[in-house]
Amino acid sequence: MKRILFSLALLGLAGVEPAFATGGFACEADDKNLIFSAQSPLGRGMGSPIINLQATSEIKLAGTPADLAKLDLSKHLVHSWMAGPDLRLHFYREREGNEPHAYVELIIMTKVVGDEGATEGTFQLTVFSSQDSTTLEASGKVTCSVE
Amino acid sequence: MIWKEAVLMFKPLIASCAMTISAVALSGQAFATGGILCDANDANLKLSVVGTVARAIGQDISSVQGSAVIKFATGERPFDLAGTLVQSWLEGDEARLHFYWNPKDIEGLSGIEIVIKTSGNITDAPKTGTYMVSMFPVSSTGTIRRIEGMASCELD
């Protein structure tokens, strides 16, 4: 079922991508602290860049500022690494507007398991707010599929 | 010759200045930026790249400038690496960079890739590791040529 959903997600994204996008990946995490999903086609033959990434997070950690609880992270990928056994994603999003500084940082570190394009690993979540100088942290499990 | 020796002698200083200038001039937010400098220099590859690292925004790398001189059977060829960074990873003690470009003027090659993977957690010491150059043939039946060697990266 997961692979079907993944394929449908990529088909939806592929409609706006050039023909060279022939693969992609999808990741998800869902536990008491975080609901996270990300999916993107990959440009084959061009260094496999991530193109048209779609990523969202819902942070359920107690004390998370309301404006950071649900975020679109699609434009906030600062690093990625997909080579060999690794699939890694590093998101960073700061609070927008004139409110005191705050940010969400989410680091996904996974490795290939088996030979069907599945990767497993962990997320590290950090929520910082300068308003009350709090840093909230959580970690958990992430799974990804690569095709 | 004297100039070459002087450049080698003052290389760390030049690198530091380059990173600072890059950080200040290109970011507009000097207080929140640093730099990254990666080097490789052996018989097959001479590479030097510098980039701005925005510490306040998740260590995002931008304004990457540099060049790679690759030794081919027919001689050395220089390549401009600006705009060719397709992946990066700066986290913990690791620094990784992945460059890819299409060498339009080299017959038989569809792409060249350079992957630099370094690590090291000693403050003020370069992270050391390896580079791998992969040269992809146009023909699907061709052979991918690979070159490996040592590389280092510095962050400030």
Side-chain angles (χ1 to χ4, degrees), chain B residues 19 33 50 58 61 98 116 136:
Chain B
M19 286 193 282
T33 62
V50 61
I61 298 178
H98 178 179
I116 297 170
F136 300 97

Side-chain angles (χ1 to χ4, degrees), chain A residues 63 65 95 100-103 126-137:
Chain A
R95 169 181 279 156
H101 176 64
Y103 67 79
T126 304
V127 181
F128 172 78
S129 172
S130 65
Q131 199 158 13
D132 46 9
S133 293
T134 57
T135 302
L136 308 173
E137 294 179 311

Side-chain angles (χ1 to χ4, degrees), chain A residues 97-110:
Chain A
N98 296 321
E99 296 296 311
H101 176 64
Y103 67 79
V104 168
E105 185 172 44
L106 180 60
I107 298 173
I108 308 292
M109 304 267 289
T110 71

Side-chain angles (χ1 to χ4, degrees), chain A residues 40-138:
Chain A
S40 174
L42 295 173
R44 298 286 191 216
M46 298 180 65
S48 296
I50 294 173
I51 44 181
N52 198 34
L53 171 70
Q54 304 292 312
T56 59
S57 64
E58 180 179 347
I59 301 168
K60 297 184 283 184
L61 276 170
T64 300
D67 59 325
L68 300 180
K70 288 187 178 182
L71 293 175
D72 183 343
L73 298 174
S74 303
K75 305 292 184 190
H76 299 274
L77 181 72
V78 290
H79 293 292
S80 65
W81 196 263
M82 281 182 286
D86 298 317
L87 194 168
R88 302 177 177 183
L89 305 170
H90 182 168
F91 295 92
Y92 181 91
R93 179 163 179 177
E94 292 185 351
R95 169 181 279 156
E96 294 169 357
N98 296 321
E99 296 296 311
H101 176 64
Y103 67 79
V104 168
E105 185 172 44
L106 180 60
I107 298 173
I108 308 292
M109 304 267 289
T110 71
K111 281 187 178 295
V112 167
V113 289
D115 55 2
E116 294 219 356
T119 72
E120 291 181 359
T122 58
F123 71 79
Q124 292 176 285
L125 172 66
T126 304
V127 181
F128 172 78
S129 172
S130 65
Q131 199 158 13
D132 46 9
S133 293
T134 57
T135 302
L136 308 173
E137 294 179 311

